[in-house]
Amino acid sequence: MTKNRGTSKKSWRFGALVFLTVGTVLAGSAWSVSTTARDVFLFREAEEIPIIAGGNMDRIPALMRGNRPAATTSLIDKTPARKKPPRMCEMPEDYFETLDLEPQRNPGYDKRNAYVRKFRDRRGFLTEREMTAARVAWKYFELFTQEDTGMANAVGNFPSTTLWDTASYIAGLVAAYELCIIEKPEFDKRIMKLLTTVKGLSLFRKEMPNKVYHTKTGSKVDYTNKPGEIGFSALDIGRYLVWMRILKNRYPYLGNTIDSTLLKWDYSNIMDSEGVMFGAFVDKETGETVYAQEGRLGYEEYAAKGFALWGFQPRLAHRAEPFLTASIFGVQVPYDGRDPRVFHSQNYVVTESYLQDGLELGWNMPHDDSSPEWLHTDGWRAEFADRIYQVQENRWRQTGFMTARSEHNVKGPPYFTYDTIFSDGYPWNTVTPRGDYVPDHAAVSAKAAIGLWALWDTDYTDTLYDAIIELYDPERGMFEGLYERGQGRVEIFTANNNGIILTSLLHKVQGTILTSFAGETEVWFTAFRDQDIRVKRNMPDPPTKTDWLPALRHSVQTEAEF
């Protein structure tokens, strides 16, 4: 028994020893294998390139990730982007001595069809005389902005506005802040109230903003300010888009608010696949929506660039063709070549659209955010603008009539006048929207005069400046202009006139109003990627270099001398 117990005990210890030995060996082997496996795993992991969103290994298109920026010249050419200048009250005394304002080449087109003008913009701090005019122009918006909606009346006390005039209010608001007339709390209060109202506007047949809105209620109205919807204007919307891009680029904190408004609109009928812009109106007999090509030389290309700033491709709308020229006082003045008798749209030649392009966009291409101030990459626009200026100076020198022609409001019927350089086959033709000839309404437009003064530093624009700079009511704003035939002031006040005058004064201080976009992605380009809404509403993708509008130049076309 003892032996057997001893044998049993020895066998247990031996078995235990064997078990421990084998276990240790196996454990060691397992540890060795696991260590080797881990080393192999870690070794392989260290050699692999991790897939990072946006990296070379990421097979998901950048557009779907929402991180593909719009292609601009600063991004493609690796050049410094145009930055927002300081507010005037924050500029050092030597600020203008540091700017590159002198051209580095002779006037004319370069090989890329950019244009160098023989004229110079005015640049510098505002004088006290100019600051007084700026403060008075801002008085208009203090007086005629509706508290409930934040919208400004287009004309004086009449509570109605369009997107064009709303853009002019935004222009005045930006200028008032940048010229230190108001401070940021006032700017933010006004712009947020306005953007909130615009976001909530009832659209024309669920597509785009109606042509006219009541400023007290924000409701759709007709031209008599009675409830109703009458269509939409591609030109008005294009101008509004210019100022939405200016706001977004200058003040990024407003970006999502702006994007969320524009994302509510349906762009499926405002532009076709060839880049032609269409407005809409209601057929009086059938009540159906009618879409018609909108825009003529001058306004059409300016509005087209507003759409292009948001990624649309208005290729045909941005071209000058079809155009002709009329030789007036030795200048080949370009005008739209489409016959009004066929197309039922007048080919008015006025100053305003060329001014807005120069003041706001620097006569540059929409994708250009880096060229020097003296080079205008939308070359033909700058060259045509110089012709529009030169013919008006020549008329003054040869006839003695101060000339700064643009459309303007008048007091009483017909309430609005196209005061043209050329239209309907005649130079210096002043007509109503119906085409009636009204020469007594010819005037020196205040906004045109101050705009010409800002963009053309000449003796002639000094004359215009002296005639207009104190043409104001200190409590109500700048008057619309001076009647050419000596009847005195055009005694009416408008958002467009005061907004453009403020823009002109801001341009003297800061140059081109549009600055570059500082962010990397935009909700405008990324929203609704998981739905078909973008396709249905014709919303664009971020533009690549191949989407850029072409930079063109145009040969001189001549007709009879006038």
Side-chain angles (χ1 to χ4, degrees):
M1 289 290 300
T2 306
K3 184 177 180 178
N4 289 341
R5 284 196 299 265
T7 303
S8 293
K9 190 173 182 179
K10 180 180 178 181
S11 298
W12 174 83
R13 288 177 177 175
F14 179 78
L17 180 60
V18 170
F19 177 83
L20 288 173
T21 302
V22 172
T24 301
V25 171
L26 292 174
S29 301
W31 177 85
S32 177
V33 171
S34 65
T35 302
T36 302
R38 186 187 65 181
D39 288 343
V40 170
F41 175 78
L42 291 176
F43 177 76
R44 288 178 180 171
E45 185 178 56
E47 281 195 335
E48 288 184 359
I49 300 174
I51 298 176
I52 300 173
N56 293 332
M57 299 292 290
D58 188 356
R59 301 306 180 194
I60 299 177
L63 185 59
M64 296 302 293
R65 293 190 305 271
N67 66 346
R68 193 184 88 191
T72 61
T73 53
S74 65
L75 181 71
I76 300 299
D77 299 336
K78 309 299 181 184
T79 52
R82 192 180 303 117
K83 295 181 179 179
K84 176 187 174 300
R87 298 172 71 209
M88 188 174 70
C89 51
E90 298 170 356
M91 288 178 172
E93 292 184 2
D94 64 346
Y95 176 76
F96 292 96
E97 299 173 10
T98 66
L99 301 181
D100 177 20
L101 301 177
E102 292 300 320
Q104 305 300 311
R105 61 190 74 170
N106 295 326
Y109 286 99
D110 69 7
K111 62 182 181 181
R112 295 187 177 182
N113 293 337
Y115 190 73
V116 179
R117 300 164 63 222
K118 66 178 181 179
F119 299 99
R120 301 288 176 271
D121 299 354
R122 292 181 193 270
R123 295 300 306 279
F125 294 107
L126 296 188
T127 66
E128 187 54 42
R129 197 179 184 194
E130 291 150 20
M131 274 304 300
T132 298
R135 292 189 184 100
V136 169
W138 177 243
K139 282 284 186 181
Y140 176 89
F141 298 107
E142 289 185 328
L143 186 61
F144 296 115
T145 301
Q146 301 291 345
E147 184 175 352
D148 290 342
T149 63
M151 304 176 88
N153 297 349
V155 182
N157 287 311
F158 193 62
S160 176
T161 195
T162 66
L163 276 196
W164 185 283
D165 298 293
T166 299
S168 293
Y169 168 40
I170 294 170
L173 180 57
V174 169
Y177 173 63
E178 295 294 337
L179 295 174
C180 307
I181 297 171
I182 62 173
E183 295 303 319
K184 193 169 185 297
E186 177 73 4
F187 174 82
D188 285 347
K189 175 184 175 183
R190 283 176 170 270
I191 196 62
M192 291 307 296
K193 184 69 174 178
L194 177 63
L195 292 177
T196 301
T197 295
V198 174
K199 182 178 180 179
L201 291 177
S202 176
L203 304 177
F204 170 76
R205 300 188 174 178
K206 298 182 179 180
E207 287 191 54
M208 303 297 290
N210 194 49
K211 288 183 179 180
V212 191
Y213 286 92
H214 199 295
T215 54
K216 288 186 177 180
T217 64
S219 58
K220 292 178 289 190
V221 292
D222 60 20
Y223 288 119
T224 65
N225 228 27
K226 295 180 180 178
E229 54 181 10
I230 55 176
F232 62 75
S233 168
L235 298 184
D236 289 9
I237 292 166
R239 172 157 169 73
Y240 186 79
L241 290 175
V242 168
W243 277 95
M244 287 299 96
R245 178 52 70 180
I246 289 172
L247 273 182
K248 184 174 179 178
N249 287 11
R250 280 177 166 255
Y251 316 110
Y253 66 94
L254 297 175
N256 283 5
T257 302
I258 293 168
D259 286 352
S260 65
T261 300
L262 303 185
L263 286 166
K264 293 183 67 176
W265 301 353
D266 184 345
Y267 303 85
S268 56
N269 292 312
I270 201 168
M271 185 176 298
D272 68 11
S273 59
E274 295 180 331
V276 177
M277 297 188 305
F278 290 84
F281 64 91
V282 177
D283 186 287
K284 293 181 179 180
E285 295 183 0
T286 66
E288 294 181 352
T289 303
V290 179
Y291 300 99
Q293 184 276 330
E294 187 175 0
R296 290 295 179 265
L297 184 65
Y299 286 108
E300 184 177 10
E301 298 77 22
Y302 166 70
K305 290 204 281 189
F307 282 93
L309 287 169
W310 291 90
F312 294 95
Q313 298 181 43
R315 294 183 180 276
L316 288 183
H318 179 256
R319 299 178 72 93
E321 290 87 0
F323 80 98
L324 300 170
T325 63
S327 183
I328 308 172
F329 291 121
V331 178
Q332 299 301 325
V333 176
Y335 68 93
D336 198 288
R338 286 165 281 197
D339 191 334
R341 295 170 298 179
V342 176
F343 293 94
H344 307 291
S345 183
Q346 302 305 110
N347 49 13
Y348 309 115
V349 179
V350 294
T351 308
E352 183 172 330
S353 61
Y354 292 99
L355 289 183
Q356 289 163 329
D357 199 337
L359 295 169
E360 300 162 10
L361 308 177
W363 296 303
N364 287 322
M365 299 300 291
H367 55 262
D368 173 24
D369 64 346
S370 61
S371 64
E373 288 198 42
W374 49 266
L375 184 66
H376 308 287
T377 51
D378 200 3
W380 73 268
R381 291 286 289 172
E383 194 237 324
F384 279 18
D386 278 352
R387 297 193 212 176
I388 295 300
Y389 163 76
Q390 191 66 66
V391 72
Q392 295 184 85
E393 178 185 333
N394 290 1
R395 180 177 186 248
W396 171 70
R397 293 191 180 281
Q398 296 189 39
T399 68
F401 284 106
M402 273 194 299
T403 306
R405 289 290 183 106
S406 201
E407 78 279 8
H408 59 81
N409 290 77
V410 293
K411 195 170 185 178
Y415 301 106
F416 191 83
T417 296
Y418 288 102
D419 197 15
T420 74
I421 296 167
F422 182 86
S423 71
D424 300 330
Y426 296 95
W428 317 113
N429 196 10
T430 305
V431 294
T432 69
R434 292 176 53 184
D436 300 327
Y437 181 48
V438 285
D440 287 344
H441 290 316
V444 180
S445 165
K447 62 191 174 187
I450 300 302
L452 290 171
W453 169 83
L455 292 172
W456 284 269
D457 186 356
T458 66
D459 292 341
Y460 173 56
T461 59
D462 285 337
T463 300
L464 291 174
Y465 170 88
D466 285 333
I468 296 298
I469 196 65
E470 280 138 6
L471 188 71
Y472 55 69
D473 179 325
E475 299 301 322
R476 298 170 69 83
M478 301 289 292
F479 286 105
E480 196 78 351
L482 281 174
Y483 283 113
E484 191 175 272
R485 298 192 174 192
Q487 308 100 302
R489 303 174 302 201
V490 183
E491 293 191 356
I492 197 165
F493 305 94
T494 68
N496 199 40
N497 183 55
N498 285 280
I500 291 175
I501 287 173
L502 277 164
T503 305
S504 301
L505 295 170
L506 176 61
H507 186 279
K508 183 191 175 187
V509 177
Q510 292 190 344
T512 301
I513 308 300
L514 179 68
T515 55
S516 61
F517 178 62
E520 294 184 357
T521 61
E522 302 185 57
V523 175
W524 164 250
F525 287 125
T526 60
F528 308 131
R529 283 287 168 203
D530 57 341
Q531 305 171 48
D532 60 358
I533 292 177
R534 296 193 69 88
V535 175
K536 288 183 176 179
R537 295 184 183 175
N538 195 29
M539 293 176 179
D541 293 332
T544 64
K545 187 175 180 179
T546 59
D547 300 322
W548 289 357
L549 297 176
L552 306 171
R553 72 173 74 186
H554 297 286
S555 60
V556 174
Q557 304 178 31
T558 61
E559 283 192 342
E561 184 92 22
F562 287 93

